[in-house]
Amino acid sequence: MQAPTIVPQTRPIRIAVIGCGALAQSQHLPNIVAAPQLSLQACCDVSDETLTACQARFSPAYTSTDFAPVVRDPDVELIVLAATERLRLPVIRAAAEAGKPIYVEKPMARSLEESYQIQQIVRDAGIPFCIGHNRRSAPAMIEAHQIFRQHMENPTAVPWRWERESPRMGLAEEGVPGMSVRVNDDWHSWKNWVFDKEQAPHGPMLFEMTHFTDMCNWFMDDEPEVVTALDSGMLNSGVVIRYRNGAIATIGMFANGTFGYPKELYEVFGQGAAVAVDHMLEVRTVGIDDAPPHKTYAMLNDRHSSVGTEGGLSGWLAKKRTACEEAAAAGDPLQQFTAEPDKGHAHHLHRFVAEVTGQGPMVCGVDEAVRATQVAIAAIQSARQGKPVLVETLGPPTA
């Protein structure tokens, strides 16, 4: 096994993208070619048609249908792995043997067993590793997390907080956070592989849920202890996570919704305060005097700059209504997409590059990926068994 690569900072970092499907072509590849500090060395995919399209659009130095020589290529300094989950373990093993840093899309694997194998491989190799939980790098989420964690650690009581009787004895739970996550999705947008039990044996409760279990772990800042869940099949599920410190997080994930409505709402509470992140377009705070009560964030790919000029959630809804009307008139559902929230894809990769070059801290490592997967698998087991599941029973510790 080679020593981990030390990537120089004096020139663009040469990247290979392995797995060049829809996500890579919509996010990773354009983000790489748009960044002067990055260089696209190789595109690798099993489809010649996909590689032809990538060559024409993104101009990599070369393309390949075989990941092995790409990973071994001395000119490849960082790997972005967006291939399907069933192919990730062998690529990660090869990258570790070559000492290459690797950015891996979520979920890291199809099962906990594979996740634990990857965790051990990465630990043994000592390579920089980042899981694509990109919401950790969304500008709105970063600021909301900073505001909330700072308040939890150094609370300041607001003078207007109502106390019915005084003096009041404090309750320990005052300092224990709580969180609610609501996810609205539309299953009509899913590809056929979602329904393939070999490709996605656990459905969206794994391949989509890990985004949100990771967000809960990040905001609650403690070890998940027990998970209880219900589902109605593939589309709808509700999950409750209790942490060792007593914190509670809930996730409601509903795939029978609509893209005409904001996808994600995060609300966190504690120490007499609330912080809400709505569709990563605005952050609202109450009970934290030194935090802005309302802040909006830039939208990406806005085709309707003259509509909804106030920005934020109301501005996005106006733009979305206009886009949906255009899509209906044209008979083209793709026209509904406009002014999307910044979910952190480009920032997440750039932050990982900073980690690899020694200019930034760890972004979201293999232990965080395993922990998010453990909670998702516990939710799947709980829904199937009809009882709470202890996270510690699922496998080896992650620390």
Side-chain angles (χ1 to χ4, degrees), residues 17-40:
V17 178
I18 299 176
C20 296
L23 179 60
Q25 292 185 46
S26 67
Q27 295 294 340
H28 301 310
L29 288 164
N31 291 338
I32 290 167
V33 300
Q37 72 271 31
L38 306 178
S39 173
L40 182 60

Side-chain angles (χ1 to χ4, degrees), residues 7-15 35-40 75 77:
V7 179
Q9 306 172 33
T10 56
R11 54 170 173 73
I13 307 302
R14 297 188 291 261
I15 296 179
Q37 72 271 31
L38 306 178
S39 173
L40 182 60
D75 287 332
E77 298 169 306

